[in-house]
Amino acid sequence: GEDVEQSLFLSVREGDSSVINCTYTDSSSTYLYWYKQEPGAGLQLLTYIFSNMDMKQDQRLTVLLNKKDKHLSLRIADTQTGDSAIYFCADESNSGYSTLTFGKGTMLLVSP
Amino acid sequence: KAGVTQTPRYLIKTRGQQVTLSCSPISGHRSVSWYQQTPGQGLQFLFEYFSETQRNKGNFPGRFSGRQFSNSRSEMNVSTLELGDSALYLCASTPTGTGANVLTFGAGSRLTVL
């Protein structure tokens, strides 16, 4: 079945860049997504990328997509302590209808 | 513009009871989907509704059900609660007519089953 995999934990220092990686299996996804979850909150959409694109930049966020290897990454430039959260990669379920398949999430810890 | 509102935010039930969770989507969003989040299984899709019709259902037992009203508000119900149903239940609404499935999530309802 469909699967989305992420590393579970990443620790960086404030000011460094963070790179969160994700692999997915469903090659039919038209869009791929990155969400952020802070403690006690729901998921917040950070950005998404159309599957025909290789890269998308949005302020401090850069998404890279390697469709051949089914690899997606999220780079956060100048990481701040406020970026500490869990980051989820998601692809579109082939059953459609606003259904996403999420990875287990990567916990990003930013230390001062 | 108000976001997705879920009620209640926290609730405690005992095994065998049932629970109903409510979700009010963003105004104008007609698609509402539900996800269960647990530490072990992560985020798992429960079901999706559009114009009062369930269009898609995840791999959950029949104890999990839902519905959507004409104003797009949605409820989900879990009957005969089990300890393993303890989770954060997240509702998301989606506008129609856009290319991407941009889900906007509520803060969730945290259910504890004792």
Side-chain angles (χ1 to χ4, degrees), chain A residues 5-23:
Chain A
E5 296 200 355
Q6 306 176 233
S7 52
L8 293 182
F9 186 75
L10 176 64
S11 179
V12 300
R13 288 201 173 272
E14 193 172 26
D16 288 349
S17 291
S18 307
V19 179
I20 302 170
N21 294 301
C22 168
T23 57

Side-chain angles (χ1 to χ4, degrees), chain B residues 70-85:
Chain B
S70 58
N71 62 358
S72 294
R73 191 176 70 84
S74 178
E75 289 181 347
M76 67 163 282
N77 184 78
V78 187
S79 62
T80 320
L81 284 165
E82 300 177 359
L83 295 179
D85 298 332

Side-chain angles (χ1 to χ4, degrees), chain A residues 4-84:
Chain A
V4 177
E5 296 200 355
Q6 306 176 233
S7 52
L8 293 182
F9 186 75
L10 176 64
S11 179
V12 300
R13 288 201 173 272
E14 193 172 26
D16 288 349
S17 291
S18 307
V19 179
I20 302 170
N21 294 301
C22 168
T23 57
Y24 60 96
T25 58
D26 186 357
S27 58
S28 66
S29 291
T30 304
Y31 293 91
L32 295 122
Y33 306 81
W34 284 102
Y35 280 84
K36 174 184 179 182
Q37 186 177 34
E38 296 179 350
L43 275 69
Q44 171 195 354
L45 177 69
L46 285 176
T47 187
Y48 60 91
I49 186 168
F50 185 52
S51 59
N52 281 355
M53 297 172 64
D54 298 323
M55 185 182 86
K56 180 180 180 182
Q57 189 151 359
D58 186 358
Q59 300 183 341
R60 292 191 298 123
L61 305 179
T62 302
V63 178
L64 295 178
L65 174 59
N66 181 329
K67 202 171 178 182
K68 174 176 168 289
D69 293 338
K70 296 180 187 170
H71 183 268
L72 184 72
S73 67
L74 174 70
R75 178 178 180 268
I76 306 172
D78 187 26
T79 314
Q80 302 297 307
T81 54
D83 295 325
S84 293

Side-chain angles (χ1 to χ4, degrees), chain A residues 33-37 43-47 86-90 100 102, chain B residues 101-105:
Chain A
Y33 306 81
W34 284 102
Y35 280 84
K36 174 184 179 182
Q37 186 177 34
L43 275 69
Q44 171 195 354
L45 177 69
L46 285 176
T47 187
I86 302 175
Y87 291 80
F88 293 90
C89 164
L100 301 183
F102 288 87
Chain B
N101 285 315
V102 178
L103 274 63
T104 302
F105 284 86

